[in-house]
Amino acid sequence: VIPLEDLFPLEDYRFHLTIRKGDLREFFAPSDDRARVLAERRHWLQAEPEQYAALLPDGERLLAEWAAMVAAWSEGEAVRSVQQLGAQLEPDFLLLSQSPGGEFLLQGGAVVFPSSWSLPEKLGRTLDAIHDVVPGLNAALAPAISTFLTRLRPGGPAYLRSNWGLAATDALNLHPSRPRPALRPKLQPEQIWVRVEHQILVAMPETKGIVFGIRVVVHPLTEVLQSDRLRAGFNRAIKTMPPALAHYKGLSPVDRELVEWSRP
Ligand code: HEM
């Protein structure tokens, strides 16, 4: 996985692709927390199956190939629905296809631990349309993302990257339909968590569909503040993040506190 130091470089905030080769099977392998994570995933997938997993008809071939790949790791039988696969794997997964015009389309997946977005709302949309809500992202990176995904070799290596955000809860499921505490002034650092999304991207050999895996790891903000190096990188990121992006990420109400706490 990408270390926290790479998420908080000693430079002004900017969007970056920053990918490195990774191992697909290792990414989806059981963690020490497996029982707890899978129990929570099963809970949400049973309570609201359509909210947390979805598949378009054009995604069925992608799901079949992805389920077969997962089954081969454990020499088990391939499951048939996104709900079943979402309950078997600890990370979330998304399946994308490329249209003849070259656009990437979201065909389905299981997203039980979303960072404030809802899978059914994004289903069938292009990646650029999905990213449109992130201020400045497409302007900075859409062509680079598209080139990177187009060049992924079917059956070739997987690539890792990560994103981070902050939340006033360590809950894994931050679906927009769920109540949650807001980031607001007067919170203490102990009441804030850094939410890291470890991501993996790979193109499947047969359908050439793209699998996008997301594993959320939640760190106490105090962990970042306790390290001089991370503290400096975090301070720099908060200070230099464009206000529209800080607003999108929900950080604006606490930006002064964050800068103060992380002052080198
Ligand atoms: C390959 C390179 C990619 C890069 C560099 C990238 C980058 C980003 C960034 C920077 C954000 C904003 C997160 C934040 O700061 O809080 C974001 C959001 C998001 N990305 Fe990506 N992304 C990539 C691929 C994908 C793929 C393949 C999907 C699959 C559908 C995807 C779906 C999303 C979604 C759903 C959001 C949240 C949008 C919302 O808040 O409604 N991204 N992405």
Side-chain angles (χ1 to χ4, degrees):
V1 296
I2 312 273
L4 283 179
E5 281 73 11
D6 287 20
L7 278 181
F8 299 113
L10 296 171
E11 56 180 47
D12 287 357
Y13 190 91
R14 64 186 174 91
F15 289 120
H16 47 84
L17 204 53
T18 323
I19 46 155
R20 59 178 69 173
K21 275 193 190 162
D23 187 285
L24 187 67
R25 185 169 177 174
E26 196 178 301
F27 185 89
F28 283 93
S31 72
D32 295 342
D33 232 9
R34 177 183 160 88
R36 186 182 68 91
V37 171
L38 291 189
E40 179 166 358
R41 296 181 68 81
R42 272 198 304 274
H43 168 80
W44 297 115
L45 284 163
Q46 273 164 16
E48 291 172 83
E50 279 90 36
Q51 195 69 273
Y52 294 103
L55 188 68
L56 291 174
D58 280 352
E60 276 170 27
R61 287 170 61 244
L62 308 188
L63 174 67
E65 185 174 17
W66 175 228
M69 286 167 66
V70 172
W73 295 333
S74 57
E75 295 172 12
E77 270 198 35
V79 299
R80 291 173 172 275
S81 74
V82 277
Q83 279 83 10
Q84 285 172 310
L85 199 50
Q88 254 181 22
L89 296 169
E90 290 175 48
D92 286 324
F93 66 88
L94 294 154
L95 301 169
L96 293 94
S97 64
Q98 192 170 20
S99 74
E103 289 187 309
F104 290 92
L105 299 171
L106 180 56
Q107 299 289 0
V111 183
V112 185
F113 300 146
S115 299
S116 312
W117 63 281
S118 157
L119 175 64
E121 276 175 24
K122 313 282 185 185
L123 209 60
R125 294 207 200 163
T126 65
L127 189 50
D128 285 6
I130 292 170
H131 277 155
D132 234 14
V133 297
V134 187
L137 177 61
N138 276 338
L141 230 49
I145 294 175
S146 171
T147 302
F148 164 71
L149 294 177
T150 303
R151 289 192 185 151
L152 276 179
R153 185 160 51 80
Y159 292 90
L160 301 168
R161 62 172 310 279
S162 45
N163 279 346
W164 63 270
L166 298 180
T169 168
D170 61 356
L172 290 170
N173 176 4
L174 294 191
H175 194 281
S177 68
R178 305 269 320 140
R180 82 168 88 167
L183 287 166
R184 52 181 171 76
K186 295 210 175 116
L187 284 179
Q188 296 304 307
E190 291 75 17
Q191 295 169 294
I192 299 179
W193 284 265
V194 180
R195 183 182 173 87
V196 179
E197 280 196 0
H198 296 284
Q199 306 174 339
I200 197 159
L201 287 146
V202 75
M204 295 187 285
E206 300 295 330
T207 59
K208 303 180 174 54
I210 288 174
V211 177
F212 180 44
I214 308 175
R215 194 189 274 269
V216 174
V217 178
V218 177
H219 301 264
L221 176 60
T222 50
E223 181 185 329
V224 169
L225 298 179
Q226 275 157 15
S227 145
D228 289 344
R229 163 65 188 80
L230 290 177
R231 196 183 158 91
F234 180 80
N235 184 271
R236 190 87 179 259
I238 302 295
K239 265 189 180 155
T240 57
M241 185 179 290
L245 185 62
H247 178 76
Y248 163 77
K249 285 164 96 67
L251 317 183
S252 309
V254 287
D255 53 4
R256 266 184 264 165
E257 288 77 2
L258 296 172
V259 169
E260 181 62 31
W261 294 332
S262 59
R263 214 176 17 207

